Amino acid sequence: TGAVTLTTFDFSEGLVIEADVYYEPASPPPAAAPALWVGLSPTADPTTTPDLAAGQYIDAAGTLHLQVNGADVGATTAPLTGQWHRLSTTIRSDGQVEFRLNGAPIGAGGQINSGFNGNPMKVGGDGYPERPKIDNVSVYKP
């Protein structure tokens, strides 16, 4: 259902973080609604916060948050449940952050703080019993 990495990533020349994600609506209570995140962690320990230095986070209410420096720079309705979707976040070499969903631009905003350079990646999800599925994770220079 997800992973964190001890590998750190230098975004000074740009960086793209992508993953295919699949999640379902929550079952009736006492189930926990699914939530997931794909991006660069704002801390050296990616398990400490759901926020992202740069990335996309889908909360249990079904909102897709676009995050830079651990704060929302935009939000929209999450993509349809029960289907695979490609989340992509690009950190350009000038530090500007761009977001894509299934290849289409969905937003841009903010310049990532250089203090986050060298942090690990965070790709994961929560939910019970419907845990999000994650596949085809890629991290590369644009």
Side-chain angles (χ1 to χ4, degrees):
T1 60
V4 295
T5 178
L6 296 177
T7 302
T8 58
F9 296 91
D10 179 349
F11 58 76
S12 60
E13 296 177 23
L15 191 70
V16 178
I17 301 171
E18 299 179 319
D20 293 332
V21 298
Y22 180 97
Y23 70 107
E24 301 174 74
S27 296
L36 61 96
W37 51 93
V38 176
L40 189 70
S41 174
T43 62
D45 178 357
T47 63
T48 59
T49 175
D51 296 327
L52 297 165
Q56 299 178 51
Y57 168 60
I58 298 175
D59 67 20
T63 300
L64 174 60
H65 300 267
L66 310 177
Q67 294 197 321
V68 178
N69 300 325
D72 282 2
V73 295
T76 187
T77 302
L80 296 174
T81 58
Q83 299 177 14
W84 283 96
H85 299 283
R86 184 87 171 157
L87 300 181
S88 177
T89 299
T90 300
I91 303 169
R92 298 185 336 205
S93 60
D94 64 1
Q96 294 296 312
V97 181
E98 301 170 344
F99 305 95
R100 295 183 178 277
L101 173 62
N102 298 324
I106 57 169
Q111 183 167 1
I112 189 168
N113 183 318
S114 63
F116 294 124
N117 199 18
N119 281 6
M121 179 181 63
K122 178 177 0 192
V123 177
D126 280 329
Y128 177 80
E130 295 85 3
R131 287 182 138 351
K133 297 170 182 64
I134 299 165
D135 200 4
N136 301 317
V137 176
S138 300
V139 180
Y140 58 92
K141 292 189 185 297

